[in-house]
Amino acid sequence: MMRKKLWMCLATFTLMLFTGFIYWNYTLNAAPASVNYYGFGDNFERTNTDSFTMGGIEWKLVYAYGDKGWLMSKDNIAPRANCSDLRDGLWVEERDVLTCLNTINNYYQASIKNTDSMGEVVLGSSPINTLGMMSLEDYFTMTKDGEDISCLDGIDTTFTGSTFGDFSSYVVFAQHNMTIGQTKRVVIGGKTYKYLLYNDARDVFDAINPFIEINLPQKGIIKNIMADKTSITKSYTDPINDTGNTMISIDTSEGEGPYHFYLYDTDASGHGTYTTPSNYFTLDPDSANGTAKVNLINKLPAGDYYFKVKVVDESTNERLYYEPSDFTKDPYRTKETGVIHVQITKVSPTIAFDNPSQTKKSVQDATMATNWNETATANPFNSDLQIKYTIVSGDIGLIDLDENTGAVIYKGNGAFGKVKIRATVDEINPNSDNYNSAYVEKEIVVYREVDGVVTPHANSSDANVPTFQANDANVKTGGTIGTIKGTLGTPDTIGGTTTTYSYAIKSGGNGSFFTVNANSGEIKTNANLAVGTYTFTVTVSDKWSSKDIPVTVNVGMAPAEALNFYENSTSNTIINQKTV
């Protein structure tokens, strides 16, 4: 007899099981379109295959309609249950088949505990103890009137049928020990069904593949939990490193919710206890949408922090997960991120003296000054940091230095020398380690001012001021006026004994008429000097200071020639007086 396709109309399925079984019937209705149930050929999300293990047995979905489905064992259960009551095909007594099925049910019930990879989602409209035969109506429906048994692919059986006497409403899928060629096809209503077979020789059958109806599981268990960043590095002073700021965003894939998030600290390898809240981070969860933000409890000190975020889909939908009263029982409702690493790096400030050049002060200036400041500026600089000033080397007794302000007081009592000072930026709290210290150094030199003395040439008529007559060679071009020599000053190397002086004529006055040897200090003329007084300036310098020395040069008339008076132009007589 032919059967209409089940999906073409609403059909009433009836499974009538005899002694040891129950009878039920129901009308199939299509499930709501918004619910995504598994269908024939789909891979289950938990196993990623089209079969799964339940009660130690591998099952396959052979038909689905709406929210109902039919499973068939891929394994031969009868040998496991030591069921040997099926003899001579289906020409045995009805009670033999039922006895065997009862034996299988008992075996299955004892085996199911703790061996279920799908979970309680398979528990549906029929109790778990209703493993049984498949009705012909079911068979015709799912095989399209026996023409297409692709739904049964992978079932390790050959199919045999009945003579449609007492068993005309049922099909027992049994394995037999003969080849297909030794079986006959069933003819119903003049139609030969290709895959509905029976064994003409009534050979012994030693196994049976049971059939069970279930409420279909839904697709959409939680698939993943993702962090938008798995590693983040920020400096201690980065604005994001502050109380309440969001460091990481968390999202989940699929699931139903509500979602329960856990955030816990770990070591670098990910070891930690998810029930112990983090000491550094807190979660701002959106339980309905499966998202969360990881926020800072407080500003993080420099260092490395590791944590994970775990989510549990606390849906009570038994078609997604089992054990809705204990969310720890179904591992597929839980996902966890990998280790998330937050690194807070130490800040390295820079520091520079406001006047980075060497500070030079004469003994006189240093003595007259009450104090002066050698201040430095750090970047960045905030309430965590301080700048301290210290003397590090040199003539350390030459000055006092205020460690907090950088104020300098000369206490050398006329002495000269050199001292090196340092400005250091570091954390105020000695127990903190969020900044690297940094320092800068500079020198302070207190020098004795240079002086100079002019010594006139030996031909000068004045021992202190170069003074010559107009006819003297000293006042002619290239003549020597005298020599200037540096005095006092400060040694080239402070603490040494050698002072090198240099000399130069300063522009202005009559300086253009003279030259000075830069090393020896010898002063010469550039021109023939006329009678008069000449003034100019010679700058005397050592390594540390310079001083202008005024020079005056006097040029007088040449002395008058001795005159004799005679009586007349031809007389040789010298006279003392003459009247004209």
Side-chain angles (χ1 to χ4, degrees):
M1 55 186 293
M2 299 294 290
R3 294 288 188 271
K4 298 293 185 182
K5 294 181 181 179
L6 184 59
W7 55 88
M8 299 297 293
C9 64
L10 296 178
T12 300
F13 277 76
T14 303
L15 179 59
M16 182 181 297
L17 299 176
F18 300 93
T19 306
F21 295 88
I22 68 168
Y23 170 90
W24 75 93
N25 62 64
Y26 55 88
T27 300
L28 293 179
N29 292 295
S34 60
V35 179
N36 192 11
Y37 295 108
Y38 286 103
F40 170 65
D42 290 341
N43 280 354
F44 294 104
E45 293 171 316
R46 292 167 178 258
T47 63
N48 199 32
T49 64
D50 63 354
S51 63
F52 64 92
T53 300
M54 183 172 63
I57 299 166
E58 190 174 6
W59 298 84
K60 180 177 179 180
L61 183 67
V62 293
Y63 192 71
Y65 182 79
D67 65 347
K68 301 297 180 182
W70 291 265
L71 299 176
M72 173 168 276
S73 166
K74 291 182 67 175
D75 301 322
N76 300 313
I77 301 179
R80 300 188 189 193
N82 196 25
C83 176
S84 58
D85 294 325
L86 293 183
R87 295 285 188 269
D88 299 328
L90 292 180
W91 287 268
V92 295
E93 294 292 331
E94 172 184 310
R95 55 184 167 78
D96 294 331
V97 177
L98 298 179
T99 300
C100 182
L101 290 173
N102 273 322
T103 303
I104 293 172
N105 268 301
N106 293 334
Y107 169 81
Y108 180 78
Q109 284 284 48
S111 302
I112 192 172
K113 296 185 184 303
N114 301 319
T115 61
D116 188 352
S117 68
M118 276 301 289
E120 296 171 5
V121 290
V122 298
L123 303 183
S125 59
S126 55
I128 198 66
N129 66 347
T130 56
L131 297 174
M133 298 177 291
M134 180 186 297
S135 72
L136 279 177
E137 189 170 5
D138 290 350
Y139 173 79
F140 288 135
T141 298
M142 67 181 60
T143 61
K144 301 178 184 177
D145 290 337
E147 295 295 325
D148 182 1
I149 62 163
S150 60
C151 63
L152 301 176
D153 286 348
I155 305 300
D156 187 18
T157 62
T158 309
F159 312 120
T160 188
S162 74
T163 57
F164 303 104
D166 294 335
F167 288 92
S168 60
S169 295
Y170 303 98
V171 177
V172 175
F173 292 91
Q175 185 181 39
H176 61 85
N177 58 3
M178 299 183 67
T179 65
I180 294 294
Q182 294 173 296
T183 60
K184 293 185 178 180
R185 294 181 174 131
V186 173
V187 178
I188 302 176
K191 180 176 179 59
T192 300
Y193 290 91
K194 298 177 182 178
Y195 304 107
L196 191 57
L197 306 176
Y198 69 93
N199 185 350
D200 188 81
R202 299 186 178 185
D203 284 290
V204 175
F205 288 83
D206 62 359
I208 186 169
N209 293 77
F211 173 81
I212 187 172
E213 174 198 349
I214 63 166
N215 283 333
L216 284 173
Q218 283 181 220
K219 296 179 181 179
I221 61 173
I222 190 168
K223 298 297 192 306
N224 200 6
I225 181 172
M226 301 81 68
D228 65 341
K229 294 178 283 290
T230 58
S231 180
I232 182 171
T233 300
K234 297 293 182 182
S235 72
Y236 175 73
T237 55
D238 192 292
I240 197 174
N241 183 26
D242 207 351
T243 301
N245 283 347
T246 298
M247 298 291 278
I248 305 287
S249 293
I250 301 294
D251 199 359
T252 54
S253 173
E254 297 192 52
E256 188 172 73
Y259 302 87
H260 191 152
F261 291 91
Y262 300 86
L263 189 155
Y264 62 101
D265 297 324
T266 72
D267 59 21
S269 298
H271 300 115
T273 304
Y274 83 91
T275 54
T276 302
S278 171
N279 294 315
Y280 311 102
F281 305 94
T282 186
L283 276 170
D284 179 14
D286 183 341
S287 298
N289 293 315
T291 62
K293 294 179 180 179
V294 178
N295 299 334
L296 293 180
I297 296 175
N298 294 299
K299 185 181 182 74
L300 290 176
D304 291 281
Y305 303 86
Y306 302 92
F307 65 91
K308 287 183 177 181
V309 178
K310 180 176 182 176
V311 63
V312 178
D313 186 352
E314 295 187 344
S315 167
T316 57
N317 183 352
E318 292 185 81
R319 295 201 180 193
L320 278 178
Y321 308 104
Y322 61 90
E323 290 290 352
S325 61
D326 186 348
F327 300 130
T328 65
K329 290 293 184 67
D330 189 343
Y332 289 94
R333 63 167 75 238
T334 300
K335 295 295 178 182
E336 189 173 63
T337 66
V339 178
I340 299 172
H341 179 202
V342 174
Q343 181 182 51
I344 303 299
T345 59
K346 295 170 66 173
V347 178
S348 296
T350 59
I351 185 169
F353 277 103
D354 298 336
N355 177 12
S357 302
Q358 184 185 67
T359 295
K360 295 190 294 183
K361 288 187 177 294
S362 68
V363 171
Q364 181 180 4
D365 289 343
T367 302
M368 292 179 62
T370 303
N371 62 63
W372 73 90
N373 291 322
E374 297 288 353
T375 55
T377 300
N379 183 35
F381 190 73
N382 53 45
S383 59
D384 295 332
L385 299 172
Q386 63 183 357
I387 297 176
K388 293 289 187 179
Y389 300 89
T390 54
I391 299 172
V392 293
S393 65
D395 300 309
I396 60 176
L398 194 66
I399 62 170
D400 277 337
L401 179 64
D402 189 295
E403 69 170 355
N404 296 312
T405 67
V408 179
I409 299 176
Y410 172 69
K411 61 174 188 178
N413 195 27
F416 60 84
K418 180 170 64 175
V419 62
K420 181 181 288 185
I421 65 172
R422 174 182 293 172
T424 302
V425 57
D426 205 351
E427 290 179 272
I428 296 174
N429 185 348
N431 297 319
S432 296
D433 193 24
N434 299 313
Y435 297 84
N436 293 310
S437 64
Y439 68 86
V440 63
E441 296 178 341
K442 70 173 294 184
E443 287 184 333
I444 297 174
V445 174
V446 177
Y447 60 86
R448 182 177 57 186
E449 290 185 293
V450 72
D451 205 346
V453 175
V454 175
T455 301
H457 188 269
N459 293 338
S460 171
S461 60
D462 190 304
N464 297 312
V465 178
T467 302
F468 304 95
Q469 294 179 345
N471 61 343
D472 287 341
N474 299 79
V475 297
K476 305 302 181 183
T477 300
T480 299
I481 300 299
T483 303
I484 186 169
K485 290 294 184 182
T487 62
L488 301 178
T490 304
D492 300 346
T493 301
I494 293 181
T497 58
T498 301
T499 303
T500 301
Y501 300 98
S502 62
Y503 311 94
I505 292 179
K506 192 174 183 179
S507 62
N510 302 125
S512 61
F513 299 147
F514 302 90
T515 62
V516 63
N517 186 290
N519 297 313
S520 67
E522 184 180 42
I523 302 172
K524 291 187 175 185
T525 62
N526 274 334
N528 296 322
L529 300 182
V531 174
T533 296
Y534 299 87
T535 60
F536 58 95
T537 300
V538 177
T539 300
V540 182
S541 302
D542 64 6
K543 182 178 178 180
W544 308 102
S545 64
S546 298
K547 185 174 182 179
D548 291 341
I549 306 296
V551 180
T552 299
V553 177
N554 295 317
V555 179
M557 294 181 61
E561 185 180 352
L563 298 177
N564 293 320
F565 293 94
Y566 298 92
E567 284 286 337
N568 52 51
S569 60
T570 60
S571 173
N572 292 321
T573 302
I574 299 173
I575 61 175
N576 293 323
Q577 61 181 13
K578 181 177 180 179
T579 300
V580 293

